[in-house]
């Protein structure tokens, strides 16, 4: 073997070793569960299921969501909070992203078994470490059986009755899962007693639950005028006359101020014409994360040009435990310019962290808005009189 051949072989061996010894970054995506089946779906009915997309690589990336198969047009994707319909989602590095899948069976679908494949894949051309330019893909199978037989069923997953305070509404929370194939509205009744004597009864039957969904349903007892002490709540959950659960819980009515108040302002926005003299509606969402219903209101400071020019305060509202409710306040700007409103929620002597909202107010264009002071008006009248007098003099000549 000549010198050139030996050198060529050595270089080839070194390159091969270098390639083999390169660290490999895990690349891939996965989606779970890998398969799901839904039985006894009525035509025109709908149900929801969740999917989770997993990314084991060292870099986040976008993936697109597609469907294939006989039921592909029945499927829509959205964020878990149902606020946004999705066709593409971002999956963080070494992380996961949940997606809600809503399936609606057409009114004209025939009885039978339908299948679809959920395809999750990376976007062509997007750099994914370790993928060597390939499109990464994962799939999940969905099987749906359509029927014309209505099935009504459900189960109670939880019954929770928390302590409250004097004159603060009591919340009876029931977790209900619809295991049938039609929308149902369970009836919940809570009988309140003390020392064996019934003192109040409250009922609720107004929360529809979709097939396959689990919903927390809360029944409130006003609890006005009742003394502190230990009480019992007998909770019955019925579905179209059939009793699904009948359970007792003990709770306490405590002196005012015994339980912890806690909350946060989770969102803030505005709505209005943003014109001088026109009111602007400020809306913030207050989340009650404490252990008792809480009275809260919006409070804010208004700045223009870095100077504090006004304050705003909204109406006080009762926010029930573990609830989120909008709070509102109104402000009418008097001058054009850029405004900053620093707003917080005030509740039971506490305040949340402040949030800022910035908006620009325009002048009112509905009229000229010119000041009619006596001086310009008198000057205009004098000019008109001189013009008319001069014209008459010219006509006499």
């Amino acid at each position: 073997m000549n010198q050139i051949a030996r050198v060529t072989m050595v270089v080839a061996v070194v390159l091969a070793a270098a390639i083999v010894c390169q660290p490999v970054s895990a690349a891939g995506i996965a989606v779970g569960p890998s398969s799901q089946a839904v039985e006894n779906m009525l035509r025109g009915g709908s149900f929801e299921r969740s999917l989770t997309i997993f990314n084991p690589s060292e870099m986040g990336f976008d993936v697109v969501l597609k469907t294939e198969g006989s039921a592909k047009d029945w499927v829509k994707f959205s964020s878990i909070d149902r606020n946004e319909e999705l066709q593409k989602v971002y999956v963080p590095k070494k992380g996961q992203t949940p997606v809600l899948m809503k399936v609606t069976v057409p009114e004209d679908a025939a009885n039978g078994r339908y299948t679809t494949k959920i395809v999750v894949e990376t976007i062509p051309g997007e750099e994914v470490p370790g993928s060597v330019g390939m499109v990464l893909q994962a799939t999940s199978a969905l099987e749906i059986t359509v029927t014309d037989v209505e099935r009504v069923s459900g189960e109670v997953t939880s019954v929770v009755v928390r302590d409250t305070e004097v004159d603060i509404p009591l919340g009876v929370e029931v977790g209900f899962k619809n295991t049938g194939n039609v929308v149902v509205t369970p009836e919940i009744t809570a009988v309140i007693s003390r020392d064996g004597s019934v003192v109040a009864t409250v009922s609720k039957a107004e929360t529809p639950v979709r097939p396959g969904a689990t919903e927390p349903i809360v029944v409130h007892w006003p609890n006005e005028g009742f003394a502190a002490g230990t009480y019992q709540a007998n909770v019955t959950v019925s579905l179209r006359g059939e009793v699904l659960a009948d359970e007792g819980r003990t709770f306490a009515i405590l002196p005012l101020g015994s339980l912890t108040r806690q909350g946060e302002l989770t969102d803030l926005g505005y709505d209005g014409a943003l014109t001088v003299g026109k009111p602007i509606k400020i809306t913030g969402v207050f989340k009650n994360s404490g252990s008792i219903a809480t009275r809260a209101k919006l409070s804010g400071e208004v700045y223009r040009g870095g100077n504090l020019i006004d304050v705003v305060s909204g109406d006080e509202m009762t926010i029930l435990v573990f609830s989120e409710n909008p709070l509102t306040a109104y402000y009418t700007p008097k001058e054009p310019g850029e405004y900053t409103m620093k707003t917080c929620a005030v509740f039971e002597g506490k305040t949340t962290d402040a949030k800022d909202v910035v908006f620009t107010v325009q002048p009112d264009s509905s009229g000229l808005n010119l000041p009619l002071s006596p001086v310009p008006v008198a000057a205009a009248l004098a000019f008109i009189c001189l013009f008319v007098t001069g014209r008459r003099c010219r006509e006499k000549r």
Side-chain angles (χ1 to χ4, degrees), residues 85-287:
E85 189 170 319
L86 302 173
Q87 293 180 326
K88 181 176 69 173
V89 296
Y90 178 78
V91 191
K93 67 176 184 179
K94 292 188 177 298
Q96 60 191 50
T97 298
V99 174
L100 192 66
M101 177 175 62
K102 182 175 181 179
V103 181
T104 302
V105 180
E107 294 283 357
D108 58 356
N111 287 354
R113 196 172 295 272
Y114 296 81
T115 59
T116 188
K117 182 166 67 173
I118 313 302
V119 180
V120 180
E121 65 182 25
T122 56
I123 300 173
E126 181 169 323
E127 181 183 352
V128 179
S131 67
V132 199
M134 297 183 299
V135 172
L136 304 178
Q137 187 181 94
T139 62
S140 176
L142 176 65
E143 187 175 88
I144 307 162
T145 303
V146 178
T147 181
D148 54 7
V149 178
E150 184 179 277
R151 186 164 59 87
V152 177
S153 64
E155 63 181 63
V156 176
T157 60
S158 62
V159 176
V160 178
V161 182
R162 297 179 177 85
D163 292 345
T164 186
E165 294 178 356
V166 173
D167 294 333
I168 301 295
L170 172 76
V172 178
E173 183 176 314
V174 173
F176 176 82
K177 181 178 181 180
N178 183 351
T179 57
N181 62 357
V182 293
V183 176
V184 295
T185 303
E187 180 180 358
I188 300 171
T189 300
V191 179
I192 312 298
S193 60
R194 185 180 188 187
D195 298 330
S197 299
V198 174
V199 297
T201 300
V202 289
S203 295
K204 182 176 183 178
E206 56 188 47
T207 304
V209 183
R210 295 181 301 275
T214 301
E215 296 285 349
I217 304 173
V218 183
V219 181
H220 294 104
W221 173 43
N223 174 31
E224 294 179 354
F226 287 88
T230 301
Y231 292 75
Q232 292 76 40
N234 191 75
V235 183
T236 303
V237 184
S238 303
L239 187 60
R240 298 193 182 182
E242 179 184 353
V243 176
L244 302 180
D246 187 358
E247 302 184 15
R249 296 289 187 272
T250 299
F251 67 95
I253 296 180
L254 303 171
L256 199 62
S258 301
L259 298 175
T260 302
R261 271 79 172 169
Q262 192 64 42
E264 58 181 314
L265 193 63
T266 61
D267 196 13
L268 186 67
Y270 63 87
D271 185 29
L274 299 183
T275 303
V276 170
K278 303 292 178 63
I280 298 171
K281 181 180 180 181
I282 309 298
T283 302
V285 177
F286 180 80
K287 179 180 180 181

